[in-house]
Amino acid sequence: MNKDQVKGAAKDIVGKIQEEAGKVTGSKEQQIKGLSNQVAGKAQQKLGDLKQAVEEIKKS
């Protein structure tokens, strides 16, 4: 795993927690921020996946 994959996974988890906290407190704003963090985290994970694939191709 590279740093983008790790950071992306962390953002995704934080986003899920934030979304759930928003649901519990009734805060639509927190829910939206949580969903936004999840999307950003998944995008960063995919970037990490791409970087890793490129590195593996270079090694071949």
Side-chain angles (χ1 to χ4, degrees):
M1 286 188 96
N2 61 37
K3 66 181 180 180
D4 285 309
Q5 291 168 317
V6 173
K7 287 181 180 180
K11 277 184 189 177
D12 186 29
I13 291 168
V14 168
K16 287 178 182 177
I17 293 169
Q18 194 172 23
E19 179 189 9
E20 288 303 315
K23 286 180 183 177
V24 169
T25 61
S27 172
K28 292 285 184 189
E29 184 179 340
Q30 285 299 326
Q31 289 177 352
I32 292 167
K33 285 181 181 179
L35 289 170
S36 176
N37 281 333
Q38 289 177 55
V39 169
K42 285 180 173 80
Q44 190 167 8
Q45 278 182 297
K46 293 297 178 188
L47 175 63
D49 292 345
L50 180 61
K51 285 181 178 180
Q52 185 174 358
V54 168
E55 286 298 318
E56 288 175 7
I57 290 170
K58 284 182 181 179
K59 290 179 183 179
S60 316

